[in-house]
Amino acid sequence: MQKKALVVALGAALVVQGAFAQKKAESDSAVVLYGKVYPELIWPSGSGATPAGATTCTICGTPEGEGSIIKRTEMESSNTRFGVRGHEKLGSNLKAIFQLETEFHVDSNDSRFARRNSFVGLASKSWGTVKLGRMDTPFKDYGLDLSFLGVSSGNFVSPSDLTRKTGFGTNSASSFHLRRENAVQYESPSFGGVEFAVQYSTNEAKTATRNPEVVSMGIAYEKGPLYLALAYEQHSDLFGGSRNVRSSQSNFSNQAVSSDDRAVQATAKVKLGKIHTIEADYIRKEYEESGAIAAGRFQSYENNAWLVNWQAKWAPRLATQLYYIRADKGSCSLVAAACNTDGLESSQWTAGLAYYFSRRTYLFVLASEIRNGYSARFNNSNQQEPSVGEDVRQIAVGLHTSF
């Protein structure tokens, strides 16, 4: 009996020792699979399109006269994703890191590998992190910090449509909610709760007359219940204005014209006890073009937007969220011609509820409405485009799980 007990004890010791060795090996070089899936059924509707022949703002589109949003049942999987990331310790407090993240559509069969944030880099607790690849900009990361029930990425409840884009045209060149290719990014370590990030990217399309590139940066302070952030981003020769105004006003094909689009945002978030979290954001966007601009062509547009966001976790199984956005009509200018932005203002309210079966799996119900001014065309639908002035309403129910 004693011999048997000794054998069992030695075996147990070897198993424990092997487990420790395996854990150490994994920490020295590890690969992790992760992801989240959140498909939903959506019921969209629209109303209030601006009548055909009505006068809209100078740089806005011509009214179609009828609504374009079709009432139907849609299924979306938003930014459902699957990722692989890992690290290798290199010594001297330095490690190599990588990530390959793929958006996959559980409702269809058109996914493409590693289209989301994918990079390789070096990370140090003392000196920070350098990444090369395809990544969200710091401007995108440092503002709109309070995720809408964990499903706002790629979803119609994302506040980025009104806050980080223009309300005229549909071209994404006006967006300051970007994931940039060919990017290099530096992320600082935390200094007493303060950290910052800087990113530079080019789309490798430089010509003799244009140099399209993006510089983005952000700084944040987080201590206890308080989070404060400031971010700035500049787009050179992306032509967010000209690619969205009327074709007769565009400078995009004129190689003697360049563009300089800028945005700044300020964010404040505070946790009030264990239940409530409130966030406020302010964003200002400016689109400017210069050079040999012909009379009547686009020269500038600027506007402001603000958001108030409230999340409440009432119980371990129940959470709600509500936000309101207001985007003003802004102001514009054309060369040697009058320009007005009448009817370009817009607002959005969004509400949601989540019921948790576990920490990672929950049922969610969402509702949102964009109220477009009679010249505006803001849109948060992934499948349909509204007419000029058309309000957009969406209701959804879905299921979320992560791993």
Side-chain angles (χ1 to χ4, degrees):
M1 292 294 295
Q2 290 179 344
K3 289 182 179 180
K4 289 183 180 180
L6 180 60
V7 170
V8 171
L10 288 172
L14 289 173
V15 169
V16 172
Q17 184 178 1
F20 278 115
Q22 184 178 13
K23 183 178 292 186
K24 183 177 186 300
E26 289 174 348
S27 63
D28 288 344
S29 179
V31 176
V32 177
L33 304 180
Y34 68 94
K36 63 189 303 182
V37 187
Y38 50 110
E40 60 188 342
L41 290 171
I42 304 175
W43 295 273
S45 63
S47 64
T50 302
T55 300
T56 58
C57 86
T58 311
I59 58 175
C60 300
T62 303
E64 293 88 343
E66 296 182 358
S68 300
I69 301 296
I70 300 172
K71 289 184 178 181
R72 63 188 188 190
T73 301
E74 301 173 349
M75 178 173 281
E76 286 284 342
S77 57
S78 301
N79 280 341
T80 289
R81 69 199 70 161
F82 171 81
V84 182
R85 60 183 169 221
H87 72 265
E88 177 190 7
K89 287 189 176 180
L90 303 176
S92 300
N93 196 28
L94 183 68
K95 58 182 181 178
I97 60 172
F98 76 91
Q99 177 175 297
L100 299 172
E101 189 170 283
T102 297
E103 176 184 337
F104 68 94
H105 303 149
V106 295
D107 60 323
S108 59
N109 189 27
D110 58 353
S111 302
R112 293 175 60 186
F113 181 69
R115 295 188 67 183
R116 290 181 53 83
N117 291 351
S118 300
F119 54 82
V120 65
L122 296 173
S124 165
K125 292 182 179 179
S126 302
W127 302 102
T129 301
V130 176
K131 300 176 180 176
L132 290 87
R134 178 171 59 257
M135 293 160 281
D136 290 341
T137 64
F139 190 95
K140 181 179 179 180
D141 283 339
Y142 277 66
L144 307 180
D145 187 69
L146 187 58
S147 174
F148 198 92
L149 299 177
V151 298
S152 55
S153 180
N155 198 294
F156 70 82
V157 298
S158 171
S160 64
D161 297 283
L162 262 69
T163 57
R164 292 174 167 175
K165 299 178 182 178
T166 62
F168 56 93
T170 59
N171 192 291
S172 62
S174 73
S175 175
F176 286 90
H177 190 74
L178 302 177
R179 177 178 301 114
R180 291 293 297 173
E181 298 180 349
N182 309 306
V184 56
Q185 179 164 308
Y186 171 74
E187 302 169 0
S188 77
S190 178
F191 302 101
V194 176
E195 62 181 46
F196 65 90
V198 180
Q199 183 188 106
Y200 168 77
S201 64
T202 172
N203 67 2
E204 300 178 347
K206 183 177 180 180
T207 67
T209 57
R210 290 180 177 171
N211 183 26
E213 59 186 0
V214 171
V215 175
S216 183
M217 59 191 72
I219 185 169
Y221 169 80
E222 187 167 16
K223 202 74 171 181
L226 183 64
Y227 173 87
L228 302 172
L230 186 66
Y232 172 81
E233 188 164 297
Q234 183 169 355
H235 300 175
S236 299
D237 288 344
L238 298 193
F239 288 87
S242 270
R243 296 172 79 173
N244 284 283
V245 297
R246 300 176 183 183
S247 59
S248 61
Q249 301 165 341
S250 176
N251 300 304
F252 185 60
S253 61
N254 184 351
Q255 295 298 312
V257 178
S258 61
S259 74
D260 184 17
D261 305 335
R262 302 175 299 276
V264 62
Q265 69 180 356
T267 300
K269 184 181 73 173
V270 62
K271 295 181 180 180
L272 303 175
K274 297 182 179 180
I275 297 178
H276 305 287
T277 303
I278 297 175
E279 177 183 339
D281 288 79
Y282 166 82
I283 297 178
R284 179 174 179 80
K285 304 179 293 295
E286 299 176 355
Y287 304 84
E288 294 184 359
E289 297 176 14
S290 59
I293 303 177
R297 300 280 176 164
F298 176 81
Q299 188 172 41
S300 68
Y301 173 74
E302 58 186 39
N303 91 314
N304 304 309
W306 56 268
L307 168 148
V308 177
N309 197 348
W310 168 46
Q311 184 182 87
K313 296 184 177 180
W314 302 103
R317 293 187 179 273
L318 184 64
T320 59
Q321 195 153 346
L322 175 69
Y323 73 65
Y324 178 80
I325 303 172
R326 180 72 181 178
D328 67 30
K329 67 179 184 178
S331 61
C332 65
S333 66
L334 304 176
V335 172
C339 190
N340 73 73
T341 55
D342 296 343
L344 199 48
E345 67 280 348
S346 189
S347 64
Q348 180 181 1
W349 65 265
T350 300
L353 178 148
Y355 179 81
Y356 290 80
F357 302 103
S358 69
R359 183 176 59 86
R360 297 180 299 178
T361 301
Y362 53 91
L363 179 74
F364 59 87
V365 180
L366 311 172
S368 182
E369 180 182 40
I370 292 179
R371 296 179 178 176
N372 278 314
Y374 64 82
S375 297
R377 201 177 182 180
F378 285 105
N379 181 34
N380 59 354
S381 171
N382 287 326
Q383 298 193 27
Q384 302 190 61
E385 291 284 351
S387 298
V388 174
E390 185 175 10
D391 300 334
V392 183
R393 289 179 293 276
Q394 298 187 79
I395 298 173
V397 59
L399 186 65
H400 172 285
T401 190
S402 61
F403 56 92

